[in-house]
Amino acid sequence: MASGSEHLSPGLSGYLTGHSTPPDDLLRELIAETAERFPDRVRMQIGQEQGTFLTTLAGLMGACHAVEVGTFTGYSSICLARGMAADGRLICCDISEEWTSLARAYWQKAGLADRIDLRLGPALDTLRALPGGAWLDLAFIDADRAGLVGYWDEIVPRLRPGGVVLVDNVLAIRQFNELVLADDRVVLALLPVGDGLTVARRQ
């Protein structure tokens, strides 16, 4: 089962997810196969409410250029790509061939393989190799906490004005939260979604 907003009361968490668009058959199949193949890692998968939020936000923005740091088995990348413009391109950064082999299979099933570019290797190296300038519409960081500052430092300068970066699992990362709060390049909100989701918009 995908992770969710466990810090909320079970009743409230259930009500919120029960009144949000649920995952479709393909995403439910991916949730189940991830749990079967990687039972000790299943909590790395985002919750269904986060997935719906990613699709909605990408659609509202009409995002064409996006980056994901931390792909795991592909749930969040499918949600992002589904919301992007028809000619959109999503660059996914991960280090695991094993995890992302499942993601590749589901990108194919979802009809999204032609718009997702998987780059295996240290994400910081991948981000540093991206073109400079302000061209990114949307970024989603859901990876190792030790690398968050480095990812932030590479992504924010590449966001276009009005571009958005989301950072997952931030409720307990005080130093990072203070750093981004003081970054005058963005305006942000920390939402009680999952284990804390920072939503920052480039000014």
Side-chain angles (χ1 to χ4, degrees):
M1 182 177 180
S3 60
S5 303
E6 287 86 0
H7 57 282
L8 302 178
S9 69
L12 179 56
S13 180
Y15 185 83
L16 294 176
T17 56
H19 289 78
S20 300
T21 301
D24 62 10
D25 289 344
L26 182 137
L27 289 174
R28 285 195 293 269
E29 183 183 342
L30 176 54
I31 290 170
E33 190 165 351
T34 298
E36 179 182 345
R37 290 181 53 178
F38 307 110
D40 59 333
R41 299 282 186 173
V42 70
R43 289 185 62 81
M44 292 171 59
Q45 192 170 72
I46 65 168
Q48 70 176 61
E49 73 277 21
Q50 289 173 286
T52 302
F53 179 72
L54 292 178
T55 303
T56 302
L57 180 62
L60 286 170
M61 296 181 68
C64 290
H65 306 289
V67 168
E68 175 182 72
V69 180
T71 296
F72 190 40
T73 60
Y75 191 104
S76 55
S77 53
I78 290 173
C79 293
L80 282 167
R82 281 178 167 177
M84 293 174 66
D87 59 347
R89 191 76 174 168
L90 172 63
I91 297 171
C92 289
C93 307
D94 207 286
I95 58 171
S96 173
E97 176 66 43
E98 183 181 18
W99 299 339
T100 56
S101 64
L102 185 57
R104 288 181 191 271
Y106 277 85
W107 295 338
Q108 198 70 41
K109 289 182 181 183
L112 298 169
D114 61 340
R115 65 175 71 177
I116 299 177
D117 177 7
L118 175 63
R119 302 192 184 182
L120 289 175
L124 196 56
D125 293 344
T126 299
L127 294 174
R128 286 172 173 164
L130 294 177
W135 56 276
L136 264 181
D137 299 309
L138 181 60
F140 179 50
I141 303 174
D142 185 17
D144 60 300
R145 293 181 174 184
L148 288 183
V149 173
Y151 305 147
W152 179 269
D153 287 344
E154 293 300 323
I155 286 172
V156 172
R158 291 175 168 85
L159 288 175
R160 64 164 173 81
V164 172
V165 55
L166 305 105
V167 188
D168 199 15
N169 303 312
V170 296
L171 281 183
I173 314 177
R174 293 186 179 182
Q175 185 176 2
F176 176 76
N177 292 337
E178 295 301 324
L179 181 146
V180 301
L181 183 61
D183 192 332
D184 60 9
R185 296 172 297 179
V186 299
V187 292
L188 60 86
L190 200 167
L191 306 179
V193 177
D195 190 23
L197 181 69
T198 290
V199 181
R201 180 178 181 272
R202 182 74 195 266
Q203 300 201 79

